[in-house]
Amino acid sequence: MQSLAHFSSLDLKSITRLTRANPTRFLIQCASVSHDASNPTAAQLPAAQSSRRYEWQSACAILASKVVSQQQDTEKSAAVNGHPSLNLVPLNSSALPKPLTIADLSPAPMHGSQLRVAYQGVPGAYSEAAAGKAYPKCEAIPCDQFEVAFQAVELWVADRAVLPVENSLGGSIHRNYDLLLRHRLHIVGEVQLPVHHCLLALPGVRREHLRRVISHPQALSQCEHTLTQMGLSVAREAVDDTAGAAEYISANALHDTAAIASARAAELYGLQVVADGIQDDSSNVTRFVMLAREPIIPRTDRPFKTSIVFAHEKQGTSVLFKVLSAFAFRDISLTKIESRPHRSCPIRIVGDADTGATAKHFEYLYYIDFEASMAEPRAQNALSEVQEFTSFLRVLGSYPMDMTPWAPSSPQH
């Protein structure tokens, strides 16, 4: 476990920054940190950049829950080799902070304490609703990027993350599948959320006055045919988040722009629902996974699902057939199989000794979800056999299936 003193020199492309959105909610944003030796010292930094250092200190203070912070806004942080020192409290002989122990950084909260769950977006996002369904009464922590939600869990700012991985209309969210490989978090559950899209605009704005519709790319694709049938002659523009689109319209008083988002987003940001239920299909469902620092112990007393990713070095379908046969022979049902180009080794060059010609083939990673628990011998035997044919195999998680009865989407409040 890294000490808090090491956070000031983390070699990360981005770090998390906590900003108070209101007295009871934090917004985690991504802030780039440059370690170039030519950077100015702390004394020369602009006020805004100095403020970011204080906010990062606040984030560290939150991690050390037993540290008592005093006079945070009035004290200046000293710089050591261009990096801020982490003097979280003024030193005095009567109230020195105690060193952190493993009990202070427990992976799961103690009984009765509130779970902190990170999600991508702003309040009113479907991911926030999914976090509430997965963990009722949790403290939902909004993050401005998927990457930041992963880091929030890794850096102990959050206990869990709830992130979308696929939608019944738009398909897989490939960004999160890539991040699952980049990070070492574990899937500990899933939740399926019916999605009910609404067309939102400022109060008093009529449909024929709209010239632009903004939303997340997935939401735009899920409402494409409905928008066309409505006869709207509008430009469609992608943004990072559905609720963020509603927030943007409200903050900038855009009378010619509408957002595709939830009814809850309309309530939060003072917008009116111009059209309700505009998704192309009422059976519009997004599947989210819950991520944690530690895996859960697989069980056999309820339906479980296991997610894996693998790669193989040999070209052709024979290896893939053998892998799939390992599950078929044991009567294990697959719920998902998808290939993605191998980012670290995208191309394989194959030479022909007779002609001297070469061919280029894509290297692929294969993602598979199957209905079995890793506590079952048949699942263990299947993966042992799969391992014989693969050059890389990783279990992303073995977790309870979401057995909630399905119902068509309805307005989400």
Side-chain angles (χ1 to χ4, degrees), residues 355-369:
T355 64
T358 59
K360 298 180 178 66
H361 302 283
F362 272 100
E363 288 281 3
Y364 289 98
L365 290 170
Y366 294 88
Y367 291 86
I368 287 181
D369 294 344

Side-chain angles (χ1 to χ4, degrees), residues 362-383:
F362 272 100
E363 288 281 3
Y364 289 98
L365 290 170
Y366 294 88
Y367 291 86
I368 287 181
D369 294 344
F370 59 88
E371 294 183 352
S373 168
M374 284 303 298
E376 300 179 59
R378 60 172 183 155
Q380 300 169 10
N381 294 334
L383 289 192

Side-chain angles (χ1 to χ4, degrees), residues 125-196:
Y126 295 105
S127 292
E128 183 194 36
K133 181 179 179 181
Y135 300 105
K137 299 182 180 180
C138 70
E139 178 189 358
I141 303 177
C143 305
D144 70 340
Q145 298 177 27
F146 290 128
E147 172 81 25
V148 177
F150 277 84
Q151 292 191 26
V153 179
E154 289 179 330
L155 296 178
W156 303 84
V157 176
D159 303 297
R160 302 285 188 274
V162 175
L163 299 170
V165 289
E166 57 183 338
N167 176 266
S168 57
L169 300 182
S172 296
I173 292 88
H174 294 128
R175 173 61 177 164
N176 284 334
Y177 276 103
D178 292 339
L179 289 173
L180 281 171
L181 273 186
R182 180 181 301 177
H183 296 268
R184 301 300 298 183
L185 299 182
H186 303 269
I187 302 176
V188 295
E190 67 172 1
V191 61
Q192 298 181 9
L193 184 76
V195 176
H196 188 90

Side-chain angles (χ1 to χ4, degrees), residues 328-372:
F329 291 156
R330 293 171 176 85
D331 197 26
I332 298 176
S333 299
L334 304 186
T335 59
K336 180 183 179 67
I337 177 169
E338 183 170 358
S339 62
R340 292 276 291 145
H342 200 318
R343 295 176 68 99
S344 60
C345 185
I347 297 292
R348 183 214 310 272
I349 299 178
V350 180
D352 190 324
D354 296 331
T355 64
T358 59
K360 298 180 178 66
H361 302 283
F362 272 100
E363 288 281 3
Y364 289 98
L365 290 170
Y366 294 88
Y367 291 86
I368 287 181
D369 294 344
F370 59 88
E371 294 183 352

